[in-house]
Amino acid sequence: MRLIVPALPLVVDTDTASDDAVALLLAAGELGDLRAVTTVAGNVPVGVGTRNALISLEVAGRPDIPVHPGCERPMTRPYSSAQQVHGQDGMGDLGLPEPSRAPEAGHAVDVLLSCPLRHPGELTLVTLGPLTNVAAALLRDRDLFTRYRHVYCMAGAADMRGNISATAEYNVWADPEAARVVLQAATPDRVTWIGWDVSRTDAVMTPEDQQHLRRLGTPAATFAHQVNRTVAAWARDVTGLPGYDLPDPVAMAVALRPDLVVEQEQVYADIALGDETRGQLIIDRRRTAPAPNVTLVRRVDEAGFKHLLFHTLAPTHQEGRR
């Protein structure tokens, strides 16, 4: 007898580039009930990220999901993209066709505030980009996190091995002030961070994994692989990984399947704002540390994550979504 698991009601905040696009495919799959997507400046400018979110949802067979643009720059700093990683269009510079529809009216911050008021305690928020939209919402509603079922953030590097600097992960580095606002409002029972250390360890698409993805042959699987082609070059030349990694999809997988987590810890964490250590996650594990404010995922079941990814993009599943 097959156990039927209810789909998880989701709101996703994203700076949609290549790995975000794959995460949206997971969110729009059978385990997710994706209600809204909000976009923020990060990997690419917010207009480009909004376009990419619309394209990704069309590939997923869910053009009905509303997409709302948000903040165009960090809270206090100049905007710095990650187009050197993801391509100028954020999607591997594939020359993808324009989406068939436009974004919805309504600013992303207003959506992040209003959605949980309409559905208190029901929605899970997953953030895949810099935390600017979320911080702006918190400045208007300090209790925002209590209105969501849970908040999962792809953010930080708990082992202090960075991808944008020696010690910082891009999403936090891009707007460290926003990340600090989020941590100041967080509690470990409400907020979970999944960092680049998890992606680097448990979510690398090796050449064998990439070949498996290509063999699936669905439009979604082909799309997921091709949009990451510039990330693959970055991984080879800069971070030294044996394939491209998928930080946003593994964060989404944890939200959809918390049982994939095999190691986590509750800690007190803060964010470095100074130039030399900008965006570094500061974790205090002393006995005299303040009370924990966040749950950090440290390891996930790699095989389980990849099974979920391949299953979502497989022919039978994709046919079922159409």
Side-chain angles (χ1 to χ4, degrees), residues 104-125:
E104 303 295 320
H107 194 277
V109 175
D110 295 323
V111 173
L112 293 174
L113 288 163
S114 64
C115 279
L117 293 178
R118 294 196 302 270
H119 307 280
E122 178 183 350
L123 300 172
T124 293
L125 173 62

Side-chain angles (χ1 to χ4, degrees), residues 289-302:
N293 61 347
V294 68
T295 294
L296 295 181
V297 172
R298 300 306 309 273
R299 295 295 304 270
V300 303
D301 177 355
E302 179 180 359

